[in-house]
Amino acid sequence: MTNELLDRLEELARKATPGPWFTLDQPWLDSDLETQVMSGSPDPHISEPICDFLDASTAGVEDKWEDHDWSARNWANAEFISAADPQTILALTAVARAAQDHLNAADNEDADVAVKSWQALRASLQALQVRK
């Protein structure tokens, strides 16, 4: 994973609506929506919408690809998007950077830097586990 990609992911995460993010389904949605990703709270009365997934049967796309399971795809996409909230992306990029630093230090045979980078990697991994 390149530093440029990590920088881009961090930039996008910082610009996005803060999490945590949740999925929401009927009966809390407009009739033309199948699911929605919300931010802040699983309570639909106080959460903020992130993105909508239209019901394929009412959106007119179901006929175009008859063999496509739109409902399952919508739910899978909504679940993935809600799991990839900004805090999770920032935690993952921190782990990736710490791992890169550790590998670089180990490659350079710098024991002090390798130990410090290993400690940073462990801390990043522990922070990510707390997110689960």
Side-chain angles (χ1 to χ4, degrees):
M1 187 168 280
T2 66
N3 284 328
E4 292 80 16
L5 178 57
L6 293 173
D7 291 344
R8 178 74 174 136
L9 288 171
E10 288 173 349
E11 175 188 357
L12 292 171
R14 286 190 178 94
K15 288 180 181 179
T17 303
W21 292 356
F22 305 92
T23 55
L24 186 66
D25 60 354
Q26 296 295 346
W28 304 104
L29 304 172
D30 292 338
S31 61
D32 62 337
L33 296 178
E34 186 166 349
T35 187
Q36 193 171 45
V37 176
M38 306 292 283
S39 173
S41 171
D43 182 342
H45 300 100
I46 60 174
S47 56
E48 178 181 348
I50 299 295
C51 65
D52 300 329
F53 291 84
L54 292 175
D55 183 340
S57 63
T58 62
V61 295
E62 199 168 58
D63 296 335
K64 192 172 183 180
W65 294 291
E66 292 176 10
D67 61 344
H68 195 77
D69 186 355
W70 285 101
S71 183
R73 175 76 53 109
N74 279 350
W75 273 104
N77 289 339
E79 289 292 323
F80 176 77
I81 290 168
S82 67
D85 66 18
Q87 295 91 325
T88 301
I89 296 301
L90 292 172
L92 288 170
T93 58
V95 168
R97 287 188 191 281
Q100 285 177 341
D101 290 345
H102 180 68
L103 291 173
N104 290 340
D107 286 346
N108 294 330
E109 299 180 10
D110 187 337
D112 291 336
V113 174
V115 168
K116 288 178 184 174
S117 64
W118 176 250
Q119 291 168 341
L121 177 58
R122 284 189 63 199
S124 296
L125 287 170
Q126 287 171 342
L128 189 59
Q129 288 174 348
V130 169
R131 295 257 327 125
K132 288 183 180 180

